[in-house]
Amino acid sequence: TQLLEQSPQFLSIQEGENLTVYCNSSSVFSSLQWYRQEPGEGPVLLVTVVTGGEVKKLKRLTFQFGDARKDSSLHITAAQPGDTGLYLCAGVTSGTYKYIFGTGTRLKVLA
Amino acid sequence: DVKVTQSSRYLVKRTGEKVFLECVQDMDHENMFWYRQDPGLGLRLIYFSYDVKMKEKGDIPEGYSVSREKKERFSLILESASTNQTSMYLCASSSSGGWGNEQFFGPGTRLTVL
């Protein structure tokens, strides 16, 4: 069974701080996605990365796909209370419709 | 505005009852998915469907079945609900034509089995 481990599981920081969330696997993925889920809602896609070593930026969020396409990271610069939520990574293996979701990182940004 | 809707936000059922969870998408997507979400475990795939009347088991299909009679509707059925099926259930859809297309999620159904 493919697994995606996320770390840390919980993170509580002050507004303005930087943070990094990691998503690791022993499996190779053809693409990897990051979602954010707010209370009472379903996850919403933030970004998809498909090339090993790829870096994508979305305002204060920077996403990186590992060179070997087994891991990814999400870096948030100057976190704001609006960044609070559950962050999930999801990997897709070519030839399958299945998305393997990570265990999740629950982020709380305090004003 | 694209949408995935789920029939109930909250549901309370008794052990042994048959439970139907309905999901409807308005994006003409070929693929539809049912997940359950439990703290510390992320989202685990129960079943998915890549076409009408087609279904494939996910990672945890035991105790569940699905039905997809129309393209826009995907139903999850708990044949005989048990307390260990208390969870948040999320439905999602995506288009075909490429691996890793964006999944659009419904708001979830929080099911409690007493």
Side-chain angles (χ1 to χ4, degrees), chain B residues 5-21:
Chain B
T5 56
Q6 295 184 229
S7 51
S8 306
R9 294 298 292 265
Y10 299 93
L11 210 51
V12 179
K13 295 292 181 180
R14 296 247 175 234
T15 301
E17 281 193 77
K18 192 167 186 176
V19 182
F20 293 87
L21 302 182

Side-chain angles (χ1 to χ4, degrees), chain A residues 1 9 30-31 33 35 37 40-45 48 86 88 92-104, chain B residues 9 31 33 35 37 39-43 45 48 50 57-59 90 94 96 99-108:
Chain A
T1 304
Q9 191 175 357
S30 59
S31 66
Q33 300 175 329
Y35 290 81
Q37 184 179 19
E41 302 295 330
V44 175
L45 181 70
T48 301
L86 177 68
L88 295 158
V92 180
T93 303
S94 59
T96 174
Y97 291 105
K98 287 178 61 175
Y99 298 69
I100 307 298
F101 277 83
T103 47
Chain B
R9 294 298 292 265
N31 305 325
F33 307 79
Y35 295 91
Q37 183 175 29
L41 297 177
L43 274 66
L45 182 65
F48 69 100
Y50 51 89
K57 293 180 180 179
D59 297 318
L90 289 165
S94 72
S96 64
W99 312 119
N101 289 336
E102 179 177 1
Q103 287 195 301
F104 294 86
F105 284 85

